[in-house]
Amino acid sequence: MPEEVNPFKIAQSQVDTVAEMLGLDAGLTEFLKNPQRELHVSFPVKMDDGTLKVFKGYRVQHNMARGPTKGGIRFHWDTDIDEVRALSMWMTWKCAVVGIPYGGAKGGVTCNPKEMSQNELEKLTRRFASEISIIMGPDTDIPAPDVYTNPQTMAWIMDTYSMNHGYTVPSVITGKPIPIGGSLGRNEATARGTVITIREACKKIGLELKGATVAVQGYGNAGSIAAYLIHDMGAKVVAVSDSQGGVLNWDGIDPHEAIKFKAETGTVVGFAGTETITNAELLELEVDILIPAALENVITSENAPNIKAKISGEAANGPNTPEADRIMHENGVMVIPDILANAGGVTVSYFEWVQGLNRLFWSEEEVNNRLEKIMVESFENVYAISQEKDINMRQAAYILAMGRVVEAIQLRGFYP
Ligand code: NAD
């Protein structure tokens, strides 16, 4: 993989840049650039046709200075250890940006969930949960959903962990279905957080959100919900996409109807009244707001000069390479970085964990109000640093986050 698109190398180079700005010493920088703990597993699953298939999976805990580690589990055919390392590191910074008491972790299984039956997915999930339960737990490391995992996946993980311990442990996982201890508002939280930060960014650059045009790449949990929340706030969603391609209608797409269409057909492609476009074309559309909500490295030095949006709200993790960041900043595009823009998910995961540990149930209004407060404050904190230091929003978010992690490390000291 070329260096520019290896997510772990990118995550490490981001640390290097900010470590220099913060004046960190070489040893501490090295510590922050590498995960504290990695578990690699290789495990068999009996498939429906009777064959035994071996899968590789990972759980990486990047840093635990600020608390137990937290981060999603991804099922994807391209998932590898470097992707999971990068994602775990971004989780550390994300939790620190919004000030919740967690370190960062991430998990992944290299598999193609689209080609597996529910039965096979359940077996794979339960076996993976057992494999990682030696480092997972409500006080140690708490997973959540990510690409191609969902509340049902979380329910299987919670049940597997609970069966192995002999009692129900809801707080071992977040993003659970509501009847078994999930939090109201969790399903929408990532997208709600993204849309809140976009709303705040609009105020800063003087863009009217009502009537603003929006393109959304990726139409899963983060993307489809961001599309309807921003639509419901008065913006005009003109393009959306998924792994099979994109659709465009300059008169506007109804995101609620597009969700129903995708649920029926498996893709947004072919949605009534739209023309088909590629994912690459979607990114370069003449829109006001872009929401990358799929995978990493979709904006690189090659297409960054062609991005016409005024704001890019990163619902996805790692959609920009560092070179893309530099180009977009020079071109005046306000990039709301992933570690801020999609932190709503982990924030409400934290609320779910707190409710679970304390046997509480908050109303959706209470969850959303608390989320709103944290997202607005975090956005303001990052924006203030970017203005004060004349740097882009990603660097500002890293300064805030790494500063908080370093403070925790130094207060705890270096054992022994
Ligand atoms: P998801 O599985 O619900 O949806 C992923 C979507 O991306 C699907 O619509 C899929 O078709 C589409 N997709 C896959 N490959 C694509 C490609 N090559 N081009 C265009 N679209 C493609 O996953 P999700 O939970 O919505 O996650 C999406 C992004 O948001 C990821 O980067 C994830 O890490 C990030 N994220 C998710 C959460 C969360 O709470 N779910 C929290 C923070 C960040």
Side-chain angles (χ1 to χ4, degrees):
M1 192 182 267
E3 173 128 346
E4 200 201 352
V5 293
N6 178 316
F8 185 45
K9 296 270 185 260
I10 289 174
Q12 289 189 313
S13 80
Q14 290 164 336
V15 173
D16 275 329
T17 307
V18 178
E20 211 179 299
M21 291 180 181
L22 288 172
L24 297 188
D25 73 51
L28 198 47
T29 307
E30 190 62 19
F31 182 49
L32 295 174
K33 279 171 67 180
N34 290 287
Q36 275 187 251
R37 195 179 282 160
E38 294 187 357
L39 181 64
H40 295 227
V41 297
S42 174
F43 59 94
V45 175
K46 193 67 126 346
M47 306 301 277
D48 290 347
D49 65 3
T51 58
L52 207 57
K53 200 165 168 189
V54 177
F55 293 89
K56 283 194 169 27
Y58 314 95
R59 184 74 190 168
V60 176
Q61 299 171 343
H62 170 252
N63 187 283
M64 46 201 85
R66 301 183 69 256
T69 50
K70 187 92 190 74
I73 291 178
R74 174 175 294 197
F75 290 169
H76 196 275
W77 45 97
D78 285 335
T79 288
D80 63 15
I81 184 62
D82 275 352
E83 180 183 67
V84 179
R85 284 173 175 149
L87 289 162
S88 74
M89 204 186 284
W90 290 329
M91 284 307 300
T92 300
W93 314 136
K94 194 178 300 181
C95 295
V97 163
V98 288
I100 56 177
Y102 288 135
K106 203 80 183 190
V109 178
T110 314
C111 65
N112 189 344
K114 293 184 172 199
E115 289 176 355
M116 296 171 71
S117 69
Q118 275 293 98
N119 178 48
E120 290 169 340
L121 277 173
E122 179 172 352
K123 285 199 218 163
L124 175 131
T125 302
R126 287 184 180 277
R127 179 63 188 247
F128 180 61
S130 288
E131 295 281 348
I132 65 168
S133 65
I134 53 173
I135 59 168
M136 167 175 76
D139 296 320
T140 52
D141 181 14
I142 307 112
D146 194 70
V147 175
Y148 296 141
T149 58
N150 55 35
Q152 177 60 73
T153 325
M154 303 303 110
W156 291 328
I157 295 175
M158 187 271 240
D159 184 67
T160 304
Y161 187 90
S162 299
M163 288 299 107
N164 289 335
H165 284 74
Y167 56 96
T168 298
V169 191
S171 297
V172 68
I173 197 114
T174 60
K176 296 179 291 291
I178 308 289
I180 55 167
S183 176
L184 293 168
R186 171 62 184 90
N187 201 39
E188 301 80 23
T190 301
R192 188 175 296 281
T194 305
V195 170
I196 291 170
T197 60
I198 291 173
R199 186 195 67 205
E200 296 305 299
C202 284
K203 291 181 198 161
K204 300 294 182 200
I205 68 163
L207 175 69
E208 182 72 49
L209 182 56
K210 215 168 161 20
T213 49
V214 184
V216 183
Q217 184 188 50
Y219 216 59
N221 175 279
S224 67
I225 299 176
Y228 80 66
L229 289 175
I230 207 161
H231 164 89
D232 295 352
M233 286 162 79
K236 183 155 76 164
V237 177
V238 297
V240 301
S241 70
D242 59 32
S243 59
Q244 300 188 42
V247 291
L248 169 69
N249 179 352
W250 287 110
D251 292 332
I253 289 170
D254 180 342
H256 299 281
E257 291 302 320
I259 289 175
K260 285 189 211 152
F261 182 80
K262 185 170 162 71
E264 281 162 21
T265 64
T267 176
V268 292
V269 177
F271 182 59
T274 62
E275 65 176 276
T276 304
I277 55 170
T278 64
N279 265 291
E281 286 166 343
L282 177 140
L283 295 171
E284 298 181 12
L285 290 174
E286 189 114 26
V287 289
D288 296 314
I289 297 165
L290 182 63
I291 306 183
L295 296 169
E296 300 92 62
N297 297 320
V298 293
I299 307 179
T300 65
S301 53
E302 278 176 23
N303 57 353
N306 308 331
I307 304 285
K308 295 165 195 89
K310 301 179 183 80
I311 294 172
S312 176
E314 297 184 338
N317 284 306
N320 274 16
T321 64
E323 190 55 15
D325 266 354
R326 196 189 57 72
I327 295 166
M328 286 169 76
H329 185 59
E330 260 176 32
N331 291 348
V333 184
M334 187 193 247
V335 175
I336 313 168
D338 46 9
I339 60 169
L340 171 65
N342 70 39
V346 74
T347 301
V348 176
S349 272
Y350 165 64
F351 297 163
E352 180 177 332
W353 183 72
V354 167
Q355 290 171 80
L357 292 175
N358 293 287
R359 310 303 191 242
L360 294 171
F361 288 99
W362 296 347
S363 68
E364 189 162 356
E365 192 187 3
E366 177 159 12
V367 169
N368 289 345
N369 287 344
R370 285 175 184 261
L371 174 65
E372 163 85 22
K373 186 168 179 289
I374 289 182
M375 294 307 302
V376 171
E377 269 176 24
S378 306
F379 181 91
E380 284 298 335
N381 289 338
V382 172
Y383 184 75
I385 295 171
S386 83
Q387 293 296 297
E388 185 196 309
K389 299 195 180 294
D390 193 20
I391 53 178
N392 69 35
M393 289 283 283
R394 190 176 326 272
Q395 288 166 341
Y398 268 72
I399 286 187
L400 179 63
M402 278 176 53
R404 286 176 173 168
V405 174
V406 167
E407 184 184 24
I409 293 171
Q410 283 170 338
L411 281 168
R412 289 177 62 159
F414 296 94
Y415 178 84

